[in-house]
Amino acid sequence: MLGYYLYLAFRSLRRSPGMTILMVLAIGFGVAASMTTYAVFRGVSGDPIPWKSSQLFVPQIDAWDPEQPSGPGEHAGMHEPPDALTYADATALMHDHRATRQSAIYAIAPTVLPAKPGSSPIPVFGFGVDHEFFPMVDVPFQFGSGWSAADDAEGTPAIVISASLNQRVFGGENSVGHNIDLDGKDYRVIGVMKPWNPQPMFFDVVDTGGFGGDGPEVFVPLQSAIASGMQGAGAVNCPKGVQPPPGIDSLQKSNCAWLAYMAELDDAAAVQRYRRYLDNYAREQQQIGRFAWPPNTRLRDVPAFLDYEHVVPDDTQQSLWVALGLLLVCLINTVSLLLAKFLRRSGEIGVRRALGASRREIYVQFLTEEAMVGVGGGVLGLLLTGIGVLGVNFVLPPRLAHLAHIDPALLSLTVVV
């Protein structure tokens, strides 16, 4: 019986090829537009560390003045603290160590000087961090590991490098124990990461913008980076009317916010304790005269902080809604065309009913015809989705376009739609 319904549907669609092509095109373009936009949206809004993001938190402390504009929330009338910490506050939080793991994070842009004669200097991007950073964010290692607490305490010139930098400098071999010249100072390689480039770069979206780049290439101990005056690559935000001081020594003594910070908290009770700790710390600073305002702190987990920082571009979200609206319009138009077509066939329906066809059989006949139109539009939508995902480089910045990709989940969703 299904074969008969398919035969009737094919005959009906062949009688009006123009309308059939129009319906297939409408569904195909609607599906392709919505799925291509969804691929981009999913790429930029995905959780970069889903197995742990609810345990990683970004503390914020208002070291300026609640009346001064600082964070992204100011536009909503909220007096938000700066989204980074001052050196004094970051150092105090590190010293008190109220989290399971924690680290201040300093974006750096040093230069690697290869030992091979005639090799050009290699500018790299990375971070100064504490030894707890690596297990806290689950950095994957190909060789070696991160440094120890003793290395942090002793100021050991240790370094963790990326797989790509290891390939350029050491030919991809196990370079643990070798030295690498960073800004004219020897650092001992103690770890080589596997290819690792979380998008967005959740542990420092303030400095990196969240997306883009090939991932961090070097990690060095925070205090070693600061003591050596390593060039910073991050933003330095100061109170209104205050210019960033020259030199890292002056920056350490200033009230400017320039250090990202992340803390790992295991459960809800630990989160509440840490919130109270932040408020008590800010209250202590008020009592000693450093702050002239009541405690103004925030503690957001990774998803909440990414949302607070508007890491997912607003135009991407708007484009998704527009594309879904286009799909809905295409489907409504297709339904209208099919309805008009079926109403014109009332005589045929009457004859089939007179010959004994049940109402259910009439429904199945027309649903089969609709299914053929849907399958045709779906196949076209799949092809156009592939072209669309490959072509987003022409309409979006490269840092966002490369996140869109076709995978089994996207293909399955396209077929279902």
Side-chain angles (χ1 to χ4, degrees), residues 4-5 8 347-357 361-362 365:
Y4 178 62
Y5 290 145
L8 292 178
E348 175 189 338
I349 296 171
V351 171
R352 287 208 65 203
R353 289 283 285 160
L355 292 175
E361 290 172 331
I362 299 297
Q365 175 189 343

Side-chain angles (χ1 to χ4, degrees), residues 363-383:
Y363 288 156
V364 172
Q365 175 189 343
F366 288 147
L367 286 173
T368 302
E369 186 171 333
E370 292 177 359
M372 290 186 68
V373 173
V375 169
V379 171
L380 178 62
L382 281 173
L383 296 175

Side-chain angles (χ1 to χ4, degrees), residues 60-62 70-71 74 79-83 296-298 300 308:
Q60 296 170 257
I61 299 172
D62 193 349
S70 53
E74 289 301 321
H79 299 302
E80 291 286 348
D83 43 19
N296 183 28
T297 65
R298 302 289 186 277
R300 295 178 167 98
Y308 168 74

Side-chain angles (χ1 to χ4, degrees), residues 158-207:
I159 188 171
V160 169
I161 64 176
S162 67
S164 59
L165 183 61
N166 186 57
Q167 181 66 40
R168 296 179 67 180
V169 178
F170 299 106
E173 67 179 26
N174 185 349
S175 57
V176 173
H178 294 195
N179 285 347
I180 189 170
D181 189 320
L182 199 66
D183 284 349
K185 179 180 179 180
D186 280 341
Y187 284 78
R188 179 170 51 88
V189 177
I190 66 164
V192 177
M193 296 182 288
K194 294 180 180 178
W196 185 62
N197 185 20
Q199 296 290 316
M201 199 173 294
F202 61 95
F203 50 86
D204 191 16
V205 296
V206 176
D207 291 327

